[in-house]
């Protein structure tokens, strides 16, 4: 399994200039390639191939007076910019045809030096390396200091140097993990329980075993600081040095919020994967919820990022990850008797089942139903995991009870 390991960089003043030059050259080649494709589309001609673009936009451009400065950076950086264009157009056309899963992808756009994120990529043929002193040696840039927070599990195949909106530099290494070493890091899944998770805003997560994870609300807690920094930015004169300093202050405040949220998601997802053999969650319509009056709180929770972490960590450590359909009535069904009690407004946090008189906490009951709706799962040793037995009522013995989600179970069991 391929993963990315990111580390903070501390380039010197001269190295910052060299990195800015590399960012600019890669951006120019990228924009030239997009312009060439758009020109061919307007003229009704065939799209130029990658070889033709490499010859005209890199090799021949270096000999022209207007592009001689392209030779000041590594040729691998420019070649990777062309690869990014090809990949962007491939994703765009695949999205148009419907063969690419996920959200619709737009056509590639031109990059700007004012974009929040700048990046260049070095592959193995660029002859970059990690020195014995622990520095990152990049061609035509030099040895850059790295803040190593952990050891790399294997030799990286490529490195991407990134500058974010806050002016910070990162090195992102592509690592191929060892499945055996990954399984050795986690306890055996045979005797571990399965868990259902109900995500929310009052509490970040409520688990089917009764545990409650409070929502840190990083954005809400930092609103006062962000408001003050944004107000100072709005008062600065445009295109002035003071405005750039105020912009960096705002960007760094937002970066602190994003970093704290990401760290919280990593710690919680790793703990859940370590303590469970199967994890069931509800497939939430995050984009739709973000357009409601609760949009700021939804963005602050970061559900999509958390679910993505759960999914890839479950795959890495041989755990079962099941998504329950968003149309499953997890908040309307009694987890004790299976009777559907109807929809309830959000302000109703506890309710009593009209059939068995069981008092339910709304979120805890939903977490139990998520776990039950996941149906039969499969552990790492191919043993079956069954949810608790729920007696079917006389009037519901048939197809009127809660769905068992056997299709999802079959899909995961055949993997």
């Amino acid at each position: 399994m391929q993963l990315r390991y990111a580390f903070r960089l501390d380039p010197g003043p001269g190295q910052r200039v060299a990195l800015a030059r590399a960012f600019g050259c890669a951006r120019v080649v990228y924009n030239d390639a997009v312009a060439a494709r758009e020109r061919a589309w307007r003229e009704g001609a065939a799209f130029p191939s990658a070889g033709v673009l490499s010859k005209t936009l890199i090799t021949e451009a270096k000999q022209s007076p207007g592009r001689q400065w392209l030779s000041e950076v590594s040729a691998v950086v420019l070649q990777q910019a062309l690869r990014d264009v090809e990949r962007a157009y491939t994703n765009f056309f695949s999205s148009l045809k419907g063969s690419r899963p996920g959200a619709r992808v737009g056509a590639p756009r031109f990059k700007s030096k004012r974009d929040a994120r700048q990046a260049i990529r070095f592959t193995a043929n660029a002859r970059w390396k990690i020195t014995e002193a622990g520095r990152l040696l990049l061609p035509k840039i030099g040895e850059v200091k790295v803040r190593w927070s952990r050891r790399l599990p294997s030799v990286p195949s490529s490195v991407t140097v990134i500058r974010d909106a806050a002016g910070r530099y990162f090195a992102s290494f592509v690592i191929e993990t060892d499945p055996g070493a990954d399984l050795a890091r986690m306890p055996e899944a045979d005797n571990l329980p399965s868990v259902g998770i109900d995500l929310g805003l009052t509490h970040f997560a409520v688990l089917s075993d009764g545990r409650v994870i409070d929502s840190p609300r990083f954005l809400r807690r930092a609103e006062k600081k962000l408001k003050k920094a944004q107000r100072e930015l709005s008062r600065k004169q445009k295109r002035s040095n003071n405005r750039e300093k105020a912009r960096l202050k705002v960007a760094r405040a937002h970066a602190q919020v994003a970093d704290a949220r990401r760290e919280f998601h990593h710690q919680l997802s790793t703990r859940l994967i370590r303590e469970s053999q199967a994890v069931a969650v509800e497939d939430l319509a995050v984009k739709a919820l973000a357009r409601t009056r609760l949009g700021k709180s939804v963005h602050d929770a970061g559900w999509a990022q958390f679910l993505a972490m759960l999914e890839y960590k479950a795959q890495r450590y041989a755990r079962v990850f099941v998504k329950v359909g968003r149309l499953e009535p997890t908040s309307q069904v009694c987890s004790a008797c299976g009777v559907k009690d109807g929809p309830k407004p959000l302000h109703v946090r506890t309710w009593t089942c009209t059939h068995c008189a069981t008092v339910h906490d709304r979120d805890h009951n939903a977490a139990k139903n998520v776990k039950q709706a996941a149906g039969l799962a499969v552990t790492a040793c191919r043993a079956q995991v069954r949810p608790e037995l729920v007696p079917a009522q006389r009037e519901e013995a048939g197809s009127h009870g809660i769905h068992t989600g056997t299709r999802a179970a079959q899909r995961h069991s055949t993997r």
Side-chain angles (χ1 to χ4, degrees):
M1 183 178 183
Q2 283 190 343
L3 293 177
R4 285 192 174 272
Y5 279 51
F7 302 91
R8 183 79 178 270
L9 295 179
D10 289 324
Q15 294 171 345
R16 290 174 182 266
V17 174
L19 286 172
R21 185 184 303 115
F23 291 144
C25 291
R27 183 176 61 250
V28 167
V29 172
Y30 184 96
N31 291 342
D32 289 347
V34 174
R37 296 289 294 261
E38 290 188 353
R39 191 183 312 112
W41 177 76
R42 289 193 303 267
E43 296 174 355
F47 286 152
S49 62
V52 173
L53 290 176
S54 177
K55 180 180 178 181
T56 57
L57 300 182
I58 298 179
T59 306
E60 296 179 355
K62 290 180 179 180
Q63 309 302 325
S64 62
R67 293 286 193 270
Q68 287 182 351
W69 34 265
L70 289 177
S71 58
E72 298 178 1
V73 302
S74 173
V76 175
V77 171
L78 307 181
Q79 293 290 345
Q80 293 302 311
L82 293 181
R83 287 181 175 270
D84 290 341
V85 176
E86 293 296 321
R87 187 181 300 108
Y89 274 103
T90 300
N91 293 337
F92 170 59
F93 290 125
S94 299
S95 181
L96 287 180
K97 296 177 183 177
S99 59
R100 184 180 188 275
R104 195 83 174 266
V105 177
R109 64 169 184 84
F110 293 104
K111 292 186 177 182
S112 171
K113 65 180 181 180
R114 295 183 177 85
D115 288 343
R117 184 181 185 273
Q118 304 285 342
I120 53 176
R121 185 167 60 255
F122 296 90
T123 54
N125 55 355
R127 298 181 181 179
W128 63 273
K129 67 176 182 179
I130 301 174
T131 64
E132 295 181 357
R135 292 177 177 263
L136 178 61
L137 177 59
L138 300 174
K140 297 189 177 182
I141 294 176
E143 297 183 3
V144 185
K145 184 180 178 181
V146 185
R147 300 185 190 179
W148 298 105
S149 57
R150 53 181 172 173
R151 296 182 59 184
L152 294 175
S154 61
V155 178
S157 59
S158 67
V159 59
T160 302
V161 180
I162 304 168
R163 187 186 68 192
D164 63 1
R168 303 177 302 176
Y169 293 84
F170 296 90
S172 178
F173 299 93
V174 177
I175 299 297
E176 188 73 30
T177 61
D178 181 13
D182 290 339
L183 292 179
R185 294 174 55 188
M186 290 289 174
E188 293 290 338
D190 298 350
N191 300 323
L192 296 178
S194 57
V195 63
I197 304 175
D198 178 69
L199 299 177
L201 298 178
T202 305
H203 302 291
F204 180 79
V206 177
L207 309 185
S208 57
D209 56 8
R211 287 180 290 173
V212 177
I213 310 298
D214 291 330
S215 179
R217 300 182 180 179
F218 297 105
L219 181 61
R220 296 289 187 180
R221 286 158 49 186
E223 275 186 331
K224 185 176 180 179
K225 179 180 179 180
L226 290 170
K227 182 180 179 180
K228 180 180 178 181
Q230 187 64 47
R231 184 168 58 244
E232 293 176 355
L233 173 62
S234 64
R235 292 171 178 172
K236 297 296 186 291
Q237 184 178 357
K238 292 186 177 181
R239 301 185 182 277
S240 64
N241 292 334
N242 286 335
R243 184 178 179 84
E244 178 61 20
K245 295 177 183 178
R247 186 200 65 80
L248 284 177
K249 188 176 181 180
V250 173
R252 287 166 184 164
H254 279 286
Q256 290 178 358
V257 173
D259 291 346
R261 183 187 299 115
R262 189 182 305 109
E263 180 68 15
F264 168 74
H265 289 165
H266 269 299
Q267 292 183 1
L268 179 58
S269 59
T270 301
R271 187 177 68 178
L272 292 176
I273 292 298
R274 179 183 295 274
E275 299 174 352
S276 309
Q277 64 170 321
V279 178
V281 297
E282 190 174 3
D283 186 16
L284 300 173
V286 179
K287 287 187 177 181
L289 292 172
R291 292 193 293 265
T292 65
R293 60 184 179 86
L294 301 174
K296 181 181 288 189
S297 298
V298 171
H299 284 298
D300 192 11
W303 292 332
Q305 178 179 254
F306 175 70
L307 294 182
M309 290 182 182
L310 272 179
E311 186 170 7
Y312 91 79
K313 290 180 181 181
Q315 180 182 357
R316 181 181 182 184
Y317 298 114
R319 300 300 200 252
V320 177
F321 179 77
V322 183
K323 276 189 177 182
V324 177
R326 62 187 61 171
L327 299 181
E328 195 73 34
T330 55
S331 297
Q332 306 177 22
V333 175
C334 174
S335 59
C337 64
V339 171
K340 185 175 180 180
D341 204 19
K344 301 165 186 62
L346 288 177
H347 69 273
V348 177
R349 309 314 303 173
T350 59
W351 57 280
T352 303
C353 178
T354 57
H355 189 272
C356 64
T358 303
V359 179
H360 292 291
D361 176 81
R362 180 193 184 102
D363 298 332
H364 188 203
N365 178 73
K368 290 182 178 180
N369 287 331
V370 167
K371 177 182 175 181
Q372 181 182 353
L376 298 177
V378 180
T379 64
C381 62
R382 312 305 296 176
Q384 292 184 346
V385 179
R386 292 182 178 271
E388 295 83 27
L389 295 177
V390 178
Q393 302 300 315
R394 182 179 301 274
E395 63 271 19
E396 291 191 355
S399 60
H400 301 289
I402 183 171
H403 300 293
T404 58
T406 54
R407 293 184 180 178
Q410 292 173 0
R411 180 171 66 251
H412 285 270
S413 63
T414 56
R415 288 183 177 176

